[in-house]
Amino acid sequence: MSAAALRARLNNHVTSMFATDTVDKYFQYLQSVDEDGSSGAPGLVTEVINLFIGDANSILNGIAGLLNQTVVDFNKVDDLVHQLKGCSCSVGAKKVNLSCMHFHQFIESRSKEGCLMALALLTNEFCDVRDKFQTMMQLEQQIAACGPK
């Protein structure tokens, strides 16, 4: 596939991410900083996304571990959900951020069942965002392999 066709696929993919509220203006800002070179670090978006994916996986595993305890420490669950919300904001992962806000309602009511349901939703949203980010990064790699613009 030509670089132009790959760029068109990438642009359509990113447009779709915005249209489905997968990402928000913070992702757009991150992209603009990377594209204009003002970060001084080429590949900033990829680096930040990879950090987000790794951190989010660890946090989700931590939340699951806490919710599998006989007695749930809702304060620790709240801390981890808050941490994940911060991570999602750093990359503009809007769906994950919204799921974290929804999760807080169940933490406040101290509902283990509600938290387990919210965790399932949060995990699904994270997996969707992760997959879309990975597709985007694969397209960018394919474009880079085609050579300079």
Side-chain angles (χ1 to χ4, degrees):
M1 191 176 289
S2 72
L6 288 168
R7 275 191 202 91
R9 271 185 72 190
L10 176 61
N11 289 339
N12 288 338
H13 182 72
V14 172
T15 299
S16 166
M17 289 169 61
F18 281 104
T20 59
D21 283 335
T22 302
V23 294
D24 61 21
K25 63 183 178 186
Y26 297 104
F27 177 73
Q28 189 173 26
Y29 173 74
L30 186 62
Q31 277 192 307
S32 70
V33 168
D34 197 25
E35 288 169 1
D36 70 15
S38 63
S39 71
L44 175 69
V45 173
T46 299
E47 184 178 334
V48 172
I49 288 172
N50 284 325
L51 287 170
F52 163 70
I53 290 170
D55 290 348
N57 270 323
S58 295
I59 293 167
L60 287 168
N61 288 333
I63 294 168
L66 289 169
L67 291 175
N68 285 327
Q69 300 294 316
T70 307
V71 177
V72 175
D73 185 337
F74 288 101
N75 291 329
K76 287 183 181 177
V77 173
D78 189 43
D79 289 345
L80 289 176
V81 172
H82 185 73
Q83 188 178 351
L84 182 56
K85 187 174 184 282
C87 290
S88 67
C89 285
S90 71
V91 294
K94 184 175 182 177
K95 282 186 172 183
V96 174
N97 186 7
L98 292 173
S99 291
C100 288
M101 292 177 1
H102 179 71
F103 203 134
H104 278 289
Q105 296 170 346
F106 294 105
I107 294 168
E108 287 175 2
S109 65
R110 301 298 198 233
S111 169
K112 182 176 180 175
E113 296 78 21
C115 285
L116 287 167
M117 184 184 70
L119 176 61
L121 175 66
L122 178 57
T123 301
N124 286 338
E125 294 294 8
F126 165 71
C127 289
D128 182 51
V129 170
R130 178 199 63 204
D131 293 349
K132 288 179 179 174
F133 278 154
Q134 288 175 334
T135 298
M136 182 192 78
M137 292 185 299
Q138 288 168 352
L139 287 167
E140 288 174 343
Q141 287 176 339
Q142 292 171 6
I143 291 168
C146 290
K149 292 182 184 178

